[in-house]
Amino acid sequence: MTYTFVTLFSNLVEGYFSDSILRRAIDKDLLGIKFLNPRDFSNNKHSKVDDTAVGGGAGMVMNSQPLYDALKSLKEEDENVHIVFLTPVAKPFVQNDAKRLATKSHIAFVSGRYEGIDERVIETFADEVFSIGDYILTGGELASLVMCDAISRNIDGVLGNSDSLTVESFETSLLEAPSFSKPKLYEGLSVPSEYLKGNHSKIRSLKLAMSECKTKFFRPEQLKKHCQGVK
Ligand code: SAM
């Protein structure tokens, strides 16, 4: 999988790949990371990339020309690139999207800044648009990284133990049961006694009960799906 981050601030993104699971995936050639800066495509003599909005309104908008030309060059280089725009005005990104997008060979994440991106550029180039939640970030870089991280976990070989994927929250409509580390007694707090007895069928039932409790408390709408047999 190749990811291209289309951003004015590549340094904000780069650091995330310097360590841990995604670093190892790059070292194993499972992932490749590229950057494309719209500023490098600006026709403006000062390399400006923002402008006031047509029709008025607060703040600046990312200028259409630099971003349009950057994405045109990206498409010319790889016509199969899957272009994703990050914007709060879109469907929310969920685990099923992460799994589906993990089958692509090249994804470009387009990060907005200022008050956002000229809508015509989105209309022209977007294969998909995603929001990562109902709040406003200062730019799309964090949102791109959130998506990239979640997608990468679903690429074969990226996780040391791919079994982790099958038991995680959002694989079914239930949230994962609580986890406990050693020692069994810590600061006077014990792990659930059933965990210590080694009866795996009882441990499974207890985990299911705890999953249901957590889901009921934090995500009641998910529990409803579980009870209706929806995944
Ligand atoms: N004026 C826009 C609005 O009200 O919808 C917000 C623009 S925001 C300050 C700048 C950029 O950050 C957006 O173009 C987008 O790329 C990114 N962004 C902000 N919040 C986001 C979210 N919840 N999900 C995805 N991207 C987001």
Side-chain angles (χ1 to χ4, degrees):
M1 166 75 88
T2 301
Y3 295 116
T4 298
F5 291 88
V6 182
T7 169
L8 297 170
F9 300 103
S10 60
N11 52 332
L12 294 182
V13 175
E14 245 168 331
Y16 193 67
F17 299 96
S18 63
D19 216 330
S20 192
I21 290 174
L22 298 191
R23 172 76 256 163
R24 287 197 290 277
I26 291 172
D27 292 343
K28 286 197 267 176
D29 281 336
L30 296 169
L31 302 182
I33 308 297
K34 292 181 178 177
F35 294 98
L36 192 62
N37 189 337
R39 199 178 292 283
D40 297 338
F41 294 80
S42 175
N43 289 338
N44 179 277
K45 65 176 175 194
H46 303 296
S47 300
K48 249 183 90 176
V49 287
D50 62 333
D51 211 338
T52 51
V54 176
M60 306 293 268
V61 178
M62 273 180 88
N63 215 340
S64 50
Q65 178 274 318
L67 186 56
Y68 187 100
D69 287 353
L71 294 175
K72 192 161 162 259
S73 84
L74 183 67
K75 268 281 186 207
E76 280 163 6
E77 206 179 284
D78 178 4
E79 61 177 4
N80 294 319
V81 59
H82 191 77
I83 301 183
V84 170
F85 281 72
L86 283 310
T87 159
V89 190
K91 62 183 171 179
F93 174 67
V94 296
Q95 182 69 8
N96 274 342
D97 297 312
K99 289 162 86 166
R100 178 174 54 79
L101 289 170
T103 62
K104 304 279 178 204
S105 57
H106 185 184
I107 299 174
F109 296 109
V110 185
S111 292
R113 278 270 152 181
Y114 319 115
E115 285 311 315
I117 295 169
D118 185 309
E119 194 69 21
R120 292 165 297 179
V121 182
I122 302 177
E123 290 289 328
T124 306
F125 290 102
D127 290 301
E128 291 188 75
V129 283
F130 280 110
S131 161
I132 62 153
D134 292 348
Y135 39 79
I136 304 295
L137 302 164
T138 53
E141 289 76 12
L142 273 178
S144 306
L145 282 173
V146 165
M147 282 190 63
C148 170
D149 188 298
I151 294 166
S152 300
R153 294 170 61 78
N154 290 283
I155 296 172
D156 271 354
V158 167
L159 289 187
N161 180 355
S162 58
D163 286 351
S164 321
L165 289 173
T166 59
V167 294
E168 275 177 329
S169 306
F170 310 116
E171 278 308 306
T172 69
S173 31
L174 288 182
L175 302 178
E176 194 180 49
S179 306
F180 300 94
S181 65
K182 294 185 183 107
K184 293 165 187 169
L185 186 66
Y186 182 69
E187 293 280 327
L189 298 169
S190 172
V191 304
S193 57
E194 208 61 69
Y195 276 41
L196 306 175
K197 294 180 191 155
N199 182 330
H200 291 288
S201 130
K202 281 198 172 164
I203 293 174
R204 258 197 312 278
S205 318
L206 179 62
K207 280 191 168 178
L208 177 63
M210 288 194 292
S211 263
E212 287 171 347
C213 272
K214 276 217 149 190
T215 313
K216 185 175 179 189
F217 187 77
F218 288 114
R219 300 291 298 271
E221 83 289 358
Q222 288 286 122
L223 186 67
K224 211 164 156 191
K225 278 193 198 169
H226 171 67
C227 296
Q228 288 164 351
V230 181
K231 249 193 138 192

